[in-house]
Amino acid sequence: VLNYTPINDAQKAAIPRIKTLIAAAFDEIVRLESEFGRQRDYSLAKTHLQEASMWAVRGITNPERGG
């Protein structure tokens, strides 16, 4: 991979933590859908959680973070 930067142990540990938290929120939205019916709002919430996960992992692994 061009310009690949390996990640360290702290980064490796942080990725599953954030994914677990976001997955719990996602699961709660699925539960709400089953309780209150599917709505566009829930679909948007799930999409934005997926986006948040992607950006959080990007932040953790970003080689330009200056640290």
Side-chain angles (χ1 to χ4, degrees):
V1 176
L2 185 63
N3 297 325
Y4 173 76
T5 302
I7 60 175
N8 62 38
D9 289 339
Q11 291 166 303
K12 287 177 187 174
I15 292 169
R17 286 198 317 264
I18 194 68
K19 287 188 174 197
T20 298
L21 289 169
I22 291 173
F26 191 96
D27 291 344
E28 180 61 18
I29 291 169
V30 170
R31 190 193 65 73
L32 292 171
E33 281 182 313
S34 67
E35 183 176 347
F36 298 111
R38 294 193 66 182
Q39 300 175 29
R40 176 79 176 129
D41 299 329
Y42 295 134
S43 294
L44 288 169
K46 291 189 298 185
T47 297
H48 288 290
L49 282 171
Q50 291 167 331
E51 182 181 6
S53 178
M54 184 268 307
W55 283 114
V57 171
R58 171 77 173 134
I60 292 166
T61 61
N62 188 350
E64 297 175 4
R65 70 187 170 282

